[in-house]
Amino acid sequence: SADAICREMGYTGHLRWGSDTDMITWKIQSQYDISLDDVTCNTGEWDSCSFQIDHDCDHSEDVFLQCGGLEFSLIDRYGNSAGAGIWGLLLSNSGTVCDDEFDDHSADAICREMG
């Protein structure tokens, strides 16, 4: 499940995960509803996963996740996030991406990774 969720967010996979029983509770957790339960995946891809929207959990079972790999984002000229259809500067792990060897295939692959 951890790999599938990280890949769905554009990362290559997970580095580690744990629940509140393994970590310190964050005060902010109670400000959020619990939206998924019983997340189980057959592979590292999100389309192989199933989950329940109704839950029988409390925030002591919240998942903490650290993803690894390349993270891509687009920003506008003011440093704000640029969504689909907006011309933006490509960032990878908070740094810019050089155009050496970059082509239409590179652009398509990265756009697909970003969703």
Side-chain angles (χ1 to χ4, degrees):
S1 298
D3 275 336
I5 291 169
C6 285
R7 286 186 180 136
E8 184 69 13
M9 294 190 304
Y11 298 96
T12 57
H14 84 283
L15 297 176
R16 66 183 175 136
W17 73 274
S19 65
D20 194 29
T21 57
D22 302 322
M23 303 184 177
I24 298 171
T25 303
W26 293 1
K27 291 180 182 178
I28 196 169
Q29 287 173 252
S30 62
Q31 296 176 19
Y32 292 89
D33 292 331
I34 298 170
S35 59
L36 295 179
D37 190 11
D38 300 327
V39 178
T40 182
C41 304
N42 295 321
T43 70
E45 301 300 324
W46 182 247
D47 61 2
S48 78
C49 301
S50 64
F51 54 87
Q52 298 296 317
I53 294 174
D54 295 325
H55 69 85
D56 60 357
C57 302
D58 60 41
H59 287 294
S60 68
E61 299 173 83
D62 287 347
V63 172
F64 290 79
L65 181 62
Q66 182 181 11
C67 298
L70 296 175
E71 174 186 349
F72 296 107
S73 60
L74 292 173
I75 58 170
D76 66 16
R77 68 178 60 228
Y78 306 105
N80 299 315
S81 179
I86 306 294
W87 184 250
L89 176 64
L90 177 61
L91 299 180
S92 174
N93 296 324
S94 300
T96 61
V97 176
C98 180
D99 71 354
D100 292 349
E101 304 297 324
F102 200 90
D103 61 11
D104 286 345
H105 295 297
S106 305
D108 287 342
I110 289 170
C111 285
R112 276 194 296 277
E113 281 296 308
M114 293 184 349

